[in-house]
Amino acid sequence: MSDARASPEAFLQMGREILAKQPFSGLLGAELTALSPGQVELQLPLRDELKQQHGFAHGGVVSYLADNALTYAGGTAMQVPVVTSEFKINYVRPALGQRLVARARAEATGKAQSVARCEVYAVTDGVEKLCALAQGTIVRLGEGG
Amino acid sequence: MSDARASPEAFLQMGREILAKQPFSGLLGAELTALSPGQVELQLPLRDELKQQHGFAHGGVVSYLADNALTYAGGTAMQVPVVTSEFKINYVRPALGQRLVARARAEATGKAQSVARCEVYAVTDGVEKLCALAQGTIVRLGEGG
Amino acid sequence: MSDARASPEAFLQMGREILAKQPFSGLLGAELTALSPGQVELQLPLRDELKQQHGFAHGGVVSYLADNALTYAGGTAMQVPVVTSEFKINYVRPALGQRLVARARAEATGKAQSVARCEVYAVTDGVEKLCALAQGTIVRLGEGG
Amino acid sequence: MSDARASPEAFLQMGREILAKQPFSGLLGAELTALSPGQVELQLPLRDELKQQHGFAHGGVVSYLADNALTYAGGTAMQVPVVTSEFKINYVRPALGQRLVARARAEATGKAQSVARCEVYAVTDGVEKLCALAQGTIVRLGEGG
């Protein structure tokens, strides 16, 4: 990810083009709703295919969204191609609702890595309920091994 | 999950029925290939839809598989309905290959929780390469909040 | 920890009495500088004994402070005796300075657990620099196993 | 840490010299009891000063030992000066006993980082009980920021 001097609209558009190149994000239906250097909002409408046997969104869906949001936050903070090196997630409430919203931000960014945090909310009729908190490390592509 | 006295075949069958009830696991195509109390092997054939823009499996796919494997390991160790409360994952290599294999086991199990570990391998022509390590906490359903 | 109806001064005093009962906190020299339900600030003057071979505070010192701050945040949010069940920490900068300050807060609290976050700063001549970020789960005493 | 061609005795001795240069490890009383490239055993006799208000070793003591063991495992695997970048720890049992023993090993090592795992046991009359599991990332010194 590059060019922090881009206009806000162009920056968001750049982020959407990256998302469009991720077939898995397309399969799940993720939408990039806000992006600026070091900050991101990703949303995911919840449909039955994304659920597990108890009726709420599968943990893997929530962790996908957190992982991707962390990567955007760290990548736009570092302005280089990145991958998520590691993260941890705490699920604090079943992800029940019409959509998920993940917001992440880079908290500490250096040359080689960025540490970011993310919250995931389940939204029902406009009411957001916190359902997961994540924290992870984003590194330059190729630095992981 | 219940009844550790079931035959190995019946136990695996029980686990497969649970997986079949998870629409998200069906969407991704996960397969339960081994299950005994506290131990599990899950596999996931990699198709283009599960990839990201660099050509390897999306981190969210790898973390889904780890999360689900941890839940099976902890749930079959505790023999009660469970959810994953939290986990952390380290990606150590791009997940390139024909399929992913996740193996998890419960390392410490009590009445209220089980701590489990998981390794995820990418498999190409029968050769397994470690691509992620995870560790997490599985708790009785309803204990999380 | 108990009695959220206590005056702010009495609440802080209660917290200091708990800290005084932890011999390890005494050995390190931790000071409780602020406490309210779900929020805490712990400080630790840095002396040579707390350092490692590169001259900055040992990671174990930073993680001790984060762990203890998370426990206070979760314990005062839940108002029951608690222990830290798990946490993760990212070190983002060498902990160089005259003292460490850890601030933690409970982010999601239920009957059985609280998920809290913490930042640790190294302070030199009044200037704070972020050196670590932590996130963890606090549970009722006796629930861990 | 360097020179994997050293004799096992010289390698262990090298590790002990590093430990001796960590004032905090001296304050706590840690002992390096085994070391080879990518593998380590650290021990810590438990005295009252290392405990908390419930009578068992403070979580910060356990996390110190895990953190240090992870660093040794990753550092001896990479053979360069390193620091722990991040780790997570699950406490699974109160650390009650005469001493703690931590064993760690590098699980995946590349040029820029090593991912290691650690188990911490509490020992009473020669009987070891698992009390914590950790997993973390060790990076070249100077790569963290």
Side-chain angles (χ1 to χ4, degrees):
Chain A
M1 298 174 186
S2 61
D3 203 352
R5 299 160 304 172
S7 72
E9 295 73 22
F11 202 79
L12 176 59
Q13 186 53 32
M14 214 164 48
R16 286 179 170 159
E17 283 164 17
I18 291 171
L19 194 68
K21 287 180 194 159
Q22 300 181 347
F24 187 59
S25 293
L27 179 66
L28 268 60
E31 302 163 2
L32 184 64
T33 46
L35 186 69
S36 58
Q39 281 201 296
V40 66
E41 184 184 88
L42 277 170
Q43 299 205 16
L44 187 62
L46 286 179
R47 57 188 202 273
D48 285 346
E49 277 182 321
L50 304 184
K51 296 180 180 170
Q52 38 99 295
Q53 72 271 31
H54 303 297
F56 35 85
H58 195 285
V61 173
V62 180
S63 67
Y64 150 78
L65 204 64
D67 180 340
N68 226 16
L70 291 170
T71 310
Y72 269 99
T76 56
M78 295 178 71
Q79 306 277 335
V80 295
V82 296
V83 290
T84 295
S85 168
E86 60 84 31
F87 76 103
K88 88 99 79 193
I89 187 166
N90 286 80
Y91 301 111
V92 297
R93 188 195 306 266
L96 269 168
Q98 294 143 355
R99 56 173 55 230
L100 299 179
V101 180
R103 297 192 186 98
R105 80 217 70 83
E107 301 278 1
T109 303
K111 284 183 188 174
Q113 69 168 47
S114 180
V115 173
R117 278 176 169 171
C118 176
E119 296 82 45
V120 184
Y121 300 86
V123 189
T124 304
D125 298 336
V127 179
E128 296 189 353
K129 291 199 174 178
L130 181 64
C131 60
L133 297 115
Q135 179 175 312
T137 309
I138 286 76
V139 298
R140 273 172 186 272
L141 188 63
E143 293 284 304
Chain B
M1 299 175 185
S2 63
D3 204 351
R5 298 159 305 171
S7 71
E9 295 74 20
F11 201 78
L12 177 58
Q13 185 52 33
M14 216 162 45
R16 285 177 170 161
E17 284 165 17
I18 291 171
L19 194 68
K21 287 179 193 159
Q22 299 180 345
F24 187 59
S25 293
L27 178 67
L28 268 61
E31 301 163 4
L32 184 64
T33 46
L35 187 69
S36 57
Q39 281 202 296
V40 66
E41 184 184 87
L42 277 169
Q43 300 205 16
L44 187 61
L46 286 179
R47 56 187 203 274
D48 284 348
E49 278 182 320
L50 305 185
K51 296 180 181 169
Q52 38 100 291
Q53 72 271 33
H54 303 297
F56 36 85
H58 195 285
V61 172
V62 179
S63 67
Y64 151 78
L65 204 63
D67 180 339
N68 226 15
L70 291 170
T71 310
Y72 268 99
T76 56
M78 294 178 73
Q79 306 278 334
V80 295
V82 297
V83 291
T84 295
S85 167
E86 61 84 31
F87 76 103
K88 89 98 79 194
I89 187 165
N90 286 80
Y91 302 110
V92 297
R93 189 194 306 267
L96 270 169
Q98 295 142 353
R99 56 172 56 228
L100 299 180
V101 180
R103 296 192 187 97
R105 79 217 71 80
E107 300 280 359
T109 302
K111 284 183 187 175
Q113 69 168 47
S114 180
V115 173
R117 279 177 168 168
C118 176
E119 296 83 45
V120 183
Y121 300 87
V123 190
T124 305
D125 298 337
V127 178
E128 296 189 353
K129 291 198 173 178
L130 182 64
C131 60
L133 297 114
Q135 178 175 312
T137 309
I138 286 78
V139 298
R140 275 172 184 269
L141 187 62
E143 294 285 304
Chain C
M1 299 176 185
S2 62
D3 203 353
R5 297 159 306 171
S7 72
E9 296 74 21
F11 201 78
L12 176 58
Q13 186 52 32
M14 214 163 47
R16 285 179 170 160
E17 284 164 18
I18 291 171
L19 194 68
K21 287 180 193 158
Q22 300 181 345
F24 187 58
S25 293
L27 178 66
L28 268 60
E31 300 163 3
L32 184 64
T33 45
L35 187 69
S36 57
Q39 280 201 297
V40 67
E41 184 185 86
L42 277 169
Q43 300 206 15
L44 187 62
L46 286 179
R47 57 187 202 274
D48 285 348
E49 278 183 320
L50 304 184
K51 296 179 180 170
Q52 39 100 293
Q53 73 271 31
H54 303 298
F56 35 86
H58 195 285
V61 172
V62 179
S63 67
Y64 151 79
L65 204 63
D67 180 339
N68 225 16
L70 291 170
T71 310
Y72 268 99
T76 56
M78 295 177 73
Q79 306 278 333
V80 295
V82 297
V83 291
T84 295
S85 168
E86 61 83 31
F87 75 103
K88 89 98 78 194
I89 186 164
N90 287 78
Y91 302 111
V92 298
R93 188 195 306 266
L96 269 169
Q98 295 142 354
R99 54 172 56 230
L100 299 179
V101 180
R103 295 192 188 97
R105 78 217 72 80
E107 300 279 1
T109 302
K111 284 184 189 174
Q113 70 168 46
S114 180
V115 173
R117 278 176 170 170
C118 176
E119 297 83 44
V120 184
Y121 301 86
V123 189
T124 304
D125 298 337
V127 178
E128 297 189 352
K129 291 198 174 179
L130 182 64
C131 60
L133 297 114
Q135 179 175 311
T137 309
I138 285 78
V139 298
R140 275 172 184 269
L141 188 63
E143 294 286 304
Chain D
M1 298 175 186
S2 62
D3 203 352
R5 300 159 304 172
S7 72
E9 294 74 20
F11 201 79
L12 176 58
Q13 186 52 34
M14 215 162 48
R16 285 179 171 159
E17 284 165 16
I18 291 171
L19 193 67
K21 287 180 193 157
Q22 300 180 347
F24 187 59
S25 293
L27 179 66
L28 268 60
E31 301 163 3
L32 184 63
T33 46
L35 187 68
S36 58
Q39 280 201 295
V40 67
E41 184 183 87
L42 277 169
Q43 300 205 14
L44 187 61
L46 286 179
R47 57 187 202 275
D48 284 348
E49 278 183 319
L50 304 184
K51 296 179 180 171
Q52 39 99 292
Q53 72 272 31
H54 303 299
F56 36 86
H58 195 285
V61 173
V62 179
S63 67
Y64 151 78
L65 204 64
D67 180 338
N68 225 15
L70 291 169
T71 311
Y72 268 100
T76 55
M78 294 177 74
Q79 306 277 334
V80 296
V82 297
V83 290
T84 295
S85 167
E86 60 85 30
F87 76 102
K88 86 99 77 194
I89 186 164
N90 286 80
Y91 302 111
V92 298
R93 189 194 307 265
L96 268 168
Q98 295 142 356
R99 56 173 55 230
L100 298 179
V101 180
R103 297 193 186 95
R105 79 217 72 79
E107 301 278 1
T109 303
K111 283 183 190 174
Q113 69 168 47
S114 179
V115 173
R117 277 176 170 171
C118 176
E119 296 84 44
V120 184
Y121 300 87
V123 189
T124 305
D125 299 336
V127 179
E128 296 189 351
K129 291 198 174 178
L130 181 65
C131 60
L133 298 115
Q135 178 175 312
T137 309
I138 286 76
V139 298
R140 275 171 184 270
L141 188 62
E143 293 285 305

